[in-house]
Amino acid sequence: MLESKTRLGDMLVEAGVISDMQRGAALGEQKQWGGKLASLVIFMGFADERTVTAVLEKQLGQKCIALKDKEIPSNILSMVKPGIAKKYNIIPIDFDKRTLSVAISNPNDLRALDDLTFALGIKVKPLLALEYGIKNALGRYYA
């Protein structure tokens, strides 16, 4: 995965997605309460998930899936128990042969991926998704 040296907040401002003032507000919220900047920008209503996703894809050089309109079959969802999905903040997306594709906000978190592989007993393929979208999908599918 390619890492960009430009910060996401700067990229969102440069792309005209948010203003300097909105970036400052989101960074202030992040400093006070934590969380990922992309999720905060969406939560605060400064931009929608698709727009932020497009900028994040450019920053990371990796496709980012939007979960908002994605329908996940129940047989795929049943492969991951609610407790595991919530613990690792993941959503199972697809299963192909012996590999489960999961939406995760940090596909570079090798420890979480190793733990998931061990807990599920199958190979796990990480797919980048926004934390905001994952949390909404967890509520929708595992409530």
Side-chain angles (χ1 to χ4, degrees):
M1 178 184 302
L2 299 173
E3 289 276 341
S4 173
K5 290 189 188 327
T6 307
R7 291 182 160 172
L8 179 61
D10 296 339
M11 290 186 78
L12 291 169
V13 171
E14 288 168 20
V17 174
I18 61 173
S19 68
D20 276 327
M21 207 154 121
Q22 289 170 322
R23 174 182 50 192
L27 288 170
E29 190 81 5
Q30 183 182 42
K31 185 175 182 179
Q32 184 173 0
W33 302 106
K36 299 198 183 273
L37 186 66
S39 295
L40 291 169
V41 166
I42 297 165
F43 179 76
M44 295 172 82
F46 298 153
D48 64 31
E49 185 178 0
R50 283 188 189 2
T51 306
V52 174
T53 297
V55 174
L56 195 60
E57 285 177 342
K58 183 179 176 188
Q59 182 195 33
L60 297 175
Q62 181 178 358
K63 181 107 176 82
C64 183
I65 60 170
L67 297 172
K68 185 178 182 188
D69 302 319
K70 189 151 187 70
E71 285 301 319
I72 302 164
S74 58
N75 64 317
I76 301 295
L77 289 166
S78 67
M79 295 180 77
V80 178
K81 291 182 177 131
I84 290 176
K86 290 173 183 172
K87 178 181 179 181
Y88 294 105
N89 206 34
I90 59 137
I91 293 289
I93 299 295
D94 192 27
F95 183 70
D96 182 30
K97 295 180 182 134
R98 293 172 41 145
T99 303
L100 179 68
S101 297
V102 298
I104 186 168
S105 63
N106 182 1
N108 292 331
D109 186 347
L110 299 179
R111 185 176 191 178
L113 295 172
D114 285 346
D115 287 353
L116 270 171
T117 299
F118 181 76
L120 300 174
I122 53 177
K123 188 175 176 192
V124 174
K125 176 183 171 188
L127 301 172
L128 176 65
L130 293 178
E131 180 182 45
Y132 180 85
I134 294 170
K135 287 191 185 303
N136 284 341
L138 283 170
R140 190 169 74 194
Y141 291 114
Y142 290 110

